[in-house]
Amino acid sequence: MVKVFYTEDIRKMEELTCEQKQITIKELMYQAGYVLAKDFLSRVMPLVKEEILVIAGTGNNGGDALVVFQELKQNGYNVKLAIIGDAEKGSETFKFYLKMLPQHIELITMENIEKAVRKSKFIIDGIFGIGLNRDVSGDFKYLIKLINQAKKIVYSLDVPSGINADSGLLMGMAIKAKFTGVVGKYKLGNFLNDALDYHGEIKLLDIGLLEGYSDIYYLDYTDVDLTKDRFHNSYKYSYGHLACIGSSSMPGAINLSAKAALRSGVGLVEVFLDQEITRFNEEIIYSNLAEDSTFSKYDVVVFGPGIKEVTPLYQKVFDQLIIENKKVIVDAGGLKYLDLKKKYNNIIITPHLKELSDILKMDIETLRKDPITQLRLLAKKGIITLLKGATTIIQEQRYTYLLQAKNHGLATAGTGDVLSGIIASFLVNDTSVNSLVKGSAAQMKAADFARKKYSEVAMIASDVIDNLHKVWLKKK
């Protein structure tokens, strides 16, 4: 588990580090450039004779790039340097390291950059850093397009140029790096939105920044302990009684939730539908939903997969769940029954971005820029959220957790329903946040097994269920 920061907090940590250690920002930049050069050599492993092109912008990221260039040059590598932008208007630290360059260094300009890109085998991207807040345009846009089309091995400094360091959003166009060395601390832009498609292989590099406070954490799902205690002296009710409330119009969704819960260790699962249908699974109990249905005997309730419209029946059932103070996971169509004027007692919702925008009545593009702030507002209303996406965001009242499956095979119909069932299996005996973290990790691990068998292109939601057992198989 590692902390993640907004860029504003990073800048404060840099200032505090310089103050406490009695060093200058220039010295801190040198340390950044030094560790970036070291990381480039250890991970990319260029041969001494192979041509490396360092491209520096004129901000602090460009200053890092100048230090990297110097380090590589001093170690005998075949390295060239291009500076893009008006050096006279560059940052003070950039201009400091520019003056440190030997007089005989021949700088590559925009006039001959295309030839230099074509000749090089490796490109080190130091064009933009954490300060980028507008769309890439002009020469910068041309250069980024040129680099991407050249299909060279690209190493980006801190964040690929063109990715916003706070939101991870594409600012019109961005470098597609094969490697990224993150300086000092992780930024939100290293994880959210478009980040995964542009960072390549990512590594956090220590430059001696003081430890700062953050309530945002990145979790590696492979490190999450998914152990479930089982006892000989037990029976089905020892492992939870789950109610899954769905709709006869789309019964497949709630059945995916139910089956996923069973495969994740729940002792007994009952599916409630608004009218009787053909039973999907022999192990599942099917019941008709009625206005007088009560759920007091159930340990956990999943509400929403397959529900399409708001009806008085489902509204009454949802209100009853809230009155009974049940552990409830609300997903898909069930999210339409939330009333944000009310305060809830830690109910769980698992929307994707479009569903969240509908709940908040906020356009998606605005929401993408800073989803965590909005999720924190929901947490104050007693709503714990798991926001599904390329990076899963789990938000409780105090802490934010980020997890990444790095498996786009999960972008297929029904995987959200599967996730609800897996989470429910943990919620029987665990806290809401622990259940969301463990449920996400279990799905990601099962999806890894499914990918190996079917590929990311061909895998479907039921493949994840069919591989859940492997998550708990003990290695011999």
Side-chain angles (χ1 to χ4, degrees):
M1 189 161 71
V2 61
K3 291 178 181 178
V4 183
F5 296 85
Y6 283 97
T7 55
E8 180 183 356
D9 298 320
I10 296 286
R11 291 189 178 96
K12 290 177 182 176
M13 273 188 287
E14 289 174 345
E15 291 174 6
L16 186 61
T17 298
C18 290
E19 183 182 322
Q20 294 289 323
K21 294 189 174 183
Q22 296 186 324
I23 60 175
T24 66
I25 193 69
K26 298 181 184 72
E27 290 171 303
L28 189 64
M29 178 177 285
Y30 173 78
Q31 180 62 17
Y34 174 79
V35 298
L36 283 163
K38 191 175 179 181
D39 181 58
F40 170 77
L41 293 176
S42 66
R43 287 202 286 153
V44 182
M45 296 187 292
L47 299 176
V48 173
K49 64 181 180 180
E50 293 176 322
E51 189 159 314
I52 303 165
L53 175 62
V54 175
I55 305 179
T58 57
N60 286 350
N61 195 250
D64 292 340
L66 295 180
V67 177
V68 171
F69 170 79
Q70 285 272 55
E71 289 296 313
L72 295 177
K73 195 74 174 174
Q74 288 170 10
N75 280 280
Y77 285 88
N78 180 17
V79 58
K80 311 294 183 187
L81 177 63
I83 293 178
I84 307 303
D86 189 346
E88 293 299 316
K89 295 180 180 179
S91 69
E92 290 303 312
T93 46
F94 167 81
K95 288 191 278 190
F96 175 82
Y97 281 106
L98 182 61
K99 289 178 183 177
M100 298 282 286
L101 293 176
Q103 292 293 323
H104 66 274
I105 295 296
E106 183 179 343
L107 297 179
I108 294 166
T109 62
M110 282 301 297
E111 284 70 32
N112 50 11
I113 191 71
E114 185 174 347
K115 181 180 178 182
V117 168
R118 191 169 61 250
K119 282 184 63 182
S120 64
K121 182 171 182 179
F122 307 99
I123 294 175
I124 295 177
D125 157 38
I127 304 170
F128 296 118
I130 64 175
L132 182 66
N133 56 15
R134 64 181 183 276
D135 279 359
V136 174
S137 60
D139 286 346
F140 299 105
K141 185 175 181 179
Y142 164 79
L143 179 57
I144 290 173
K145 184 178 180 181
L146 176 67
I147 293 169
N148 287 343
Q149 289 178 341
K151 299 190 182 302
K152 303 294 182 177
I153 297 172
V154 180
Y155 178 97
S156 286
L157 310 184
D158 210 17
V159 63
S161 293
I163 293 292
N164 183 283
D166 274 326
S167 68
L169 285 170
L170 188 68
M171 305 301 284
M173 183 176 288
I175 294 285
K176 291 206 83 165
K178 187 168 184 179
F179 302 90
T180 299
V182 178
V183 178
K185 304 290 181 184
Y186 279 126
K187 294 86 183 164
L188 276 168
N190 296 133
F191 297 101
L192 302 184
N193 291 306
D194 298 303
L196 258 180
D197 289 319
Y198 288 85
H199 276 69
E201 182 185 306
I202 189 169
K203 185 177 181 181
L204 181 63
L205 307 175
D206 182 16
I207 63 167
L209 287 182
L210 296 178
E211 193 60 51
Y213 175 79
S214 177
D215 46 20
I216 306 171
Y217 292 89
Y218 171 72
L219 304 175
D220 186 331
Y221 73 91
T222 62
D223 294 334
V224 178
D225 183 5
L226 301 177
T227 304
K228 291 196 171 194
D229 294 328
R230 307 282 290 193
F231 304 97
H232 291 290
N233 187 20
S234 63
Y235 69 129
K236 60 190 176 187
Y237 291 106
S238 303
Y239 305 110
H241 191 183
L242 171 66
C244 294
I245 303 172
S247 169
S248 60
S249 63
M250 293 180 67
I254 201 65
N255 275 277
L256 285 170
S257 300
K259 190 173 180 182
L262 282 173
R263 279 290 184 207
S264 301
V266 171
L268 183 62
V269 178
E270 190 167 349
V271 167
F272 287 84
L273 300 168
D274 52 328
Q275 56 183 311
E276 193 167 338
I277 63 163
T278 303
R279 299 188 175 202
F280 276 62
N281 296 283
E282 297 87 345
E283 300 91 345
I284 297 171
I285 299 170
Y286 291 86
S287 299
N288 285 350
L289 193 63
E291 288 193 3
D292 60 351
S293 296
T294 180
F295 298 91
S296 57
K297 68 179 182 180
Y298 300 95
D299 298 299
V300 179
V301 179
V302 173
F303 178 84
I307 295 175
K308 295 173 71 174
E309 304 297 334
V310 176
T311 68
L313 172 60
Y314 286 115
Q315 185 67 64
K316 190 161 186 176
V317 169
F318 180 75
D319 292 342
Q320 184 64 28
L321 293 173
I322 301 305
I323 291 169
E324 293 179 6
N325 199 26
K326 301 304 300 179
K327 290 183 176 182
V328 60
I329 300 163
V330 185
D331 186 37
L335 297 165
K336 298 175 182 178
Y337 292 85
L338 284 175
D339 182 355
L340 296 189
K341 295 176 183 177
K342 295 180 179 179
K343 186 153 183 155
Y344 295 96
N345 186 22
N346 291 333
I347 66 167
I348 291 172
I349 65 171
T350 57
H352 52 61
L353 198 65
K354 174 62 170 64
E355 290 167 335
L356 183 63
S357 74
D358 290 341
I359 294 168
L360 298 174
K361 295 180 172 54
M362 178 181 292
D363 71 89
I364 290 178
E365 291 312 308
T366 300
L367 188 55
R368 280 185 202 274
K369 292 176 182 177
D370 189 10
I372 291 174
T373 294
Q374 298 304 320
L375 298 184
R376 287 174 173 172
L377 293 174
L378 287 178
K380 289 180 179 179
K381 298 176 181 290
I383 301 171
I384 299 172
T385 307
L386 182 151
L387 179 61
K388 294 175 286 200
T391 295
T392 296
I393 306 175
I394 296 169
Q395 182 66 57
E396 55 151 359
Q397 296 212 7
R398 183 174 180 184
Y399 295 109
T400 309
Y401 302 97
L402 311 177
L403 296 92
Q404 290 182 328
K406 298 181 181 178
N407 182 346
H408 46 71
L410 284 167
T412 187
T415 52
D417 307 316
V418 171
L419 178 61
S420 296
I422 302 171
I423 293 167
S425 76
F426 286 98
L427 194 57
V428 170
N429 293 311
D430 213 334
T431 65
S432 297
V433 172
N434 284 350
S435 300
L436 289 171
V437 169
K438 292 177 181 180
S440 297
Q443 185 190 50
M444 291 173 185
K445 289 183 180 183
D448 282 346
F449 290 116
R451 171 171 54 187
K452 288 174 184 176
K453 183 174 182 180
Y454 296 105
S455 81
E456 290 178 325
V457 174
M459 61 184 277
I460 57 177
S462 58
D463 297 331
V464 178
I465 298 175
D466 292 343
N467 282 276
L468 275 168
H469 68 286
K470 296 177 183 177
V471 174
W472 288 282
L473 278 177
K474 293 182 179 179
K475 293 180 181 178
K476 295 183 180 179

